[in-house]
Amino acid sequence: MMMARKQDVRIPTYNISVVGLSGTEKEKGQCGIGKSCLCNRFVRPSADEFHLDHTSVLSTSDFGGRVVNNDHFLYWGEVSRSLEDCVECKMHIVEQTEFIDDQTFQPHRSTALQPYIKRAAATKLASAEKLMYFCTDQLGLEQDFEQKQMPDGKLLIDGFLLGIDVSRGMNRNFDDQLKFVSNLYNQLAKTKKPIVVVLTKCDEGVERYIRDAHTFALSKKNLQVVETSARSNVNVDLAFSTLVQLIDKSRGKTKIIPYFEALKQQSQQIATAKDKYEWLVSRIVKNHNENWLSVSRKMQASPEYQDYVYLEGTQKARKLFLQHIHRLKHEHIERRRKLYLAALPLAFEALIPNLDEIDHLSCIKAKKLLETKPEFLKWFVVLEETPWDATSHIDNMENERIPFDLMDTVPAEQLYEAHLEKLRNERKRAEMRRAFKENLETSPFITPGKPWEEARSFIMNEDFYQWLEESVYMDIYGKHQKQIIDRAKEEFQELLVEYSELFYELELDAKPSKEKMGVIQDVLGEEQRFKALQKLQAERDALILKHIHFVYHPTKETCPSCPACVDAKIEHLISSRFIRPSDRNQKNLLSDPNIDRINLVILGKDGLARELANEIRALCTNDDKYVIDGKMYELSLRPIEGNVRLPVNSFQTPTFQPHGCLCLYNSKESLSYVVESIEKSRESTLGRRDNHLVHLPLTLILVNKRGDTSGETLHSLIQQGQQIASKLQCVFLDPASAGIGYGRNINEKQISQVLKGLLDSKRNLNLVSSTASIKDLADVDLRIVMCLMCGDPFSADDILFPVLHSQSCKSSHCGYNNSVLLELPIGLHKKRIELSILSYHSSFSIRKSRLVHGYIVFYSAKRKASLAMLRAFLCEVQDIIPIQLVALTDGAIDVLDNDLSREQLTEGEEIAQEIDGRFTSIPCSQPQHKLELFHPFFKDVVEKKNIIEATHMYDNVAEACSTTEEVFNSPRAGSPLCNSNLQDSEEDIEPPSYSLFREDMPSLSKDHSKLSMELEGNDGLSFIMSNFESKLNNKVPPPVKPKPPVHFEITKGDLSYLDQGHRDGQRKSLSSSTWLPPDGFDPSDYAEPMDAVVKPRNEEENIYSVPHDSTQGKIITIRNINKAQSNGSGNGSDSEMDTSSLERGRKVSMVSKPVLYRTRCSRLGRFASYRTSFSVGSDDELGPIRKKEEDQASQGYKGDNAVIPYETDEDPRRRNILRSLRRNTKKPKPKPRPSITKATWESNYFGVPLTTVVTPEKPIPVFIERCIEYIEATGLSTEGIYRVSGNKSEMESLQRQFDQDHNLDLAEKDFTVNTVAGAMKSFFSELPDPLVPYSMQMDLVEAHKINDREQKLHALKEVLKKFPKENHEVFKYVISHLNKVSHNNKVNLMTSENLSICFWPTLMRPDFSTMDALTATRTYQTIIELFIQQCPFFFYNRPISEPPGATPSSPSAVAPTVPFLTSTPISSQPSPPQSPPPTPQSPMQPLLPSQLQAEHTL
């Protein structure tokens, strides 16, 4: 029942009539009171449907139309509204009016002829088919509008709205209106229907009218008044709802809102809608070229658009749109204007950059000048229409040229004036910069290395501060400092060369003592060029150490003039002049099978050699090829584990010539085996022509000892290995070296390093190889060395042109790249001359080892260093060798004008006179001298040839004798040095019956006071060649008769000519004599050349004095005590050749014994006093023993050339051991590690640039992230992590698998920690560029030089900020990981120092080809250690942490005490330091007797 009742509920409908003043113009004025607008706003509230103009003057046809329908009322239609109580209702609105005929201007006649007052009060309205009214335009065009009829053609009125116009109406009196309203109200009241007074046009209302209207309403009972404005849509709905409430008493009473309060609410609503609409327009419309039609379509569905159009209408919406478009256009024009104005200064700089051209021009004249410039149209565009912002040019975005009419604007003129001012300021600043530079160049206070803070007060003035910014003058000062520092370094390097005599007299080696370094400082200290680098002491010390390295190890690479070294130039000249064969068989260089072949001996007992050979073969390709620096080499391995004296274990075979040897050990026994095997191998080849095994490159390697039960520690094995490496002068690699794991033998990095060293040794054979064979000697008559000075201001091409382009010049076939053959007529016969053209530093190395008949030495007359090097060279040349001095000048005029040239020429002439040499000068302006210039010199050489050869022969024999005792201390010391008969076993080795020494004599090692030797006489030198050649292939020489003994005794005579004769014997081949046969060596033959020289002398005359042990200052004098002189020889031949040889021998005897030129020339050897002041080696190396020897030397020395007698009670074993401690240690240069070459697969991840494997989202390479996560999860407690290498094959397998699947799970694959760690290091090693960029490394080194620890760390941090972003993120990640590893060092034994040693070569990969990089190796390691230690400070802004202790590697512990050199603990790195290397302990110390050890360690 309830449901049915609810369904029957109908929406209430009310019929409302709107009435008010109507009639003709006379009655109502020129306009109505707003009844139609009120109805229009209520029925159709949308702004677009609201019409202000509703006329009441109609034509007869319009009046009779269906809309008006001959009635004086309008049906406005039906309206549905929800009132305040949310109940919906319907209202039919009728307006009572009076229509006027447009012809008569009187009311139209209608069916109701009553006056308006009575007609308006009608409650029943009827009009058949009357249509709903919209607007005046509808009349006559009813079909164009919606046609809706008044329901049922009749309406019953329920209430009235009585309208009162409170505006100032035209031609209307308000009082008259009020009277009319009063009458109308009275008529309406009779109907008993509710009435509400509506005040219309309140937006134009007059206050008095409103007040009077309210007074009128108050005079009536319960008459409510509503103030409205149809135009503003204020309180329109309120008026109708108030009337409905009066009609339906059941509804609640409506609250009447005053007009102004309602207007405020309406305004707020409109403002909100407007804001939303403007936001919508700005969001949709971005281009000022948009049109309203397209945009309105886009906005039609938006509620913001609908709300605003509803409230304000489409026209206002369009108006706002147009305003927005205008604003966009204005902004666009301003943007273009700014772009043009920004480009205008650039145009000025390009077209009118010269201040002199425009300094006097106004903007207008400058505009005309611009049009004349060739590039005017490149910058400007001339438009046909102006101004530019009113044309379509604003939308021409492709044309960025400046509209030329812009120049007429004020901003353009301002920019032109700014351009003028800028040019004037730049001119002033340029003047200030020039003045500042001139101040720097002329100021005596600006010295190399002086900090800006110290120099500022001397050169700055107010103008500089005013016109130059700090960055500018700091940059100028920095560049000036670089220039003067570079110049000072060049001048200091020249100074070092000028003191060449000092460096060669000091006999410096790779580790000069502090004492010698102090002497260098004392001698050079007063030189201005030395003082110039006072502020750069570290750089100065590095230059000195670099020069010492050059003196000790002279090569083309270490030459101060590199790459313009004379040797390189000469090689190029000779190779371009001749097509030189690569070997004696005239094969082309590319066809030499040994060029790409490396023969490697692996020495080690108990399976070590075979095991390492297998590991190396595993790294090779299938055809035993090995890749070094991208090139394939054939690698041949020879593992040896037995007695090297047996043929099966020999180092060399007829088909295997070794290029190097890897010596492996893991215990004392295996180390002893290595030492014994090396000594046996060297002993077996001593005396042979091809004794290159003495110089065979060695590498000693400590490998893992499996099943270590002997109690030996790693430290003791390393210490013993270092000692033996020092004794053998070889490279030592231990498990702590970067890249070597104490669980394997050796990794690919170390193998590549060793093989690179062997390749370098092969390439350098042209300067260090032994002398030519006997056959080669027979091919030439004379051997002349021509010495040129590197860096001289003359062209080697001009000097050598007469030699190389002579018809007598031919290519040399002796295997040297710096030699040619000359066939010149000397005397009556033609002579074949081998002319070796070398630099002075190369000549030093062959001065004592090769047979040279004469020297042609060139020097520049205008360079002090050139003559200084010549003096240093001549000091050690024997005075029997002819010398030709050649001074190179710029010409006669230069000599007259240049004081230095005159002095140098005079000194050269005096030297030549004092040494009985020849002197000539050649003007290099006319270098086309002729070879005939040297003919007198060649004649001198021919005359002295025999004595020179005899002397050279004898010196080599004496050296071999003395070196035998020095090197070998075994039962075979008294037997021949070598024998070509290889025994089958060691038990078969017996001294032959023709032994060189008598069997009843004590050995050389036991008695140094007397030495006796059996010498076999010979009548002439000619027997030397014939006898040697006859015995080349004799395995067993014929027995010889006993020979009278020759005693070796010590004298105190003047033997200075041999003072330096063999000081470098330890670095030189023992077989440097060119007279030794290649096979079938017979020691007794040494007697023949000796007797050939001895025979003509008196009984007591000294033959020669041989420096038996130059390092100890002991000299053996050989005396011939046999009065009887035998004319016979072993073969008894006495041919004509023998006779002539004998006569030459007699001539030789008439010549005084040879000395060094230093003793004959006062201008040579000016630093000779330093020669005998020092022992060989460093202070740290010798310790108290050196002090003891110096005390003894100070007592025994009587002068520069004095002789120290042997200590007869000295234990020879002790002396040999101490001598071994003094041997120079020379290690090969390390080569940068190449990236791992994968021959079988190509990776897209490994070996590619870092930027290709990282992204901004993932700045860490996935592989590194996986490896470190795995290590931190499972391997932080692994002992030796990152030091112990992983398995090579497993590492490659890991990389290969990851390359195929980046989601590889390392834990599932069960890789070992060391394999993962090794693969991670390999990733960084294979990067094309190191993780620490090369451009940052020198900045890090400079920052590390700061002494203050806190400032140093902040400086390093600033450098770190300059890293590329990718490198910085990865470096931070890795260092943070290493810091975490170091915190577990008590378990894994990897401190920050150990980690830095293992990681710095991988992270930095410095270029070891430069001296600076080698000098900084220790610095690199310390820098990485600092990053690991201070990781929180560098990367996480934590405070600086204090170091755990002042360790030797920590920065706080490094305190240099000597300006040139500080001793440091021995490093485990395999690379040799460029500064003097650390002092190792004696390699034989573990083997010393206890009392000797005590003495050595005091």
Side-chain angles (χ1 to χ4, degrees), residues 392 624 726 757 853 913 937 947 997 1052 1192 1304-1305 1397 1424:
S392 60
D624 290 335
S726 177
H853 295 98
Q913 290 175 3
F937 165 73
I947 185 62
F997 303 106
K1052 296 183 180 180
Q1192 295 171 352
L1304 181 68
D1305 190 339
I1397 291 173
I1424 296 300

Side-chain angles (χ1 to χ4, degrees), residues 493 497 546 550 554-569 789-792 839 841 863 1229 1409-1411:
Q493 179 63 60
V497 181
K546 183 177 180 180
F550 162 69
T555 64
K556 289 178 288 188
E557 290 74 21
T558 59
C559 176
S561 300
C562 181
C565 178
V566 166
D567 290 325
K569 289 184 178 180
M789 179 62 185
C790 298
D792 271 359
S839 64
H841 57 77
R863 186 185 180 201
K1229 258 188 174 182
S1409 63
T1410 63
M1411 181 66 192

Side-chain angles (χ1 to χ4, degrees), residues 188-199:
L188 294 176
K190 295 177 182 179
T191 63
K192 305 287 177 104
K193 301 292 184 182
I195 303 172
V196 172
V197 176
V198 178
L199 304 185

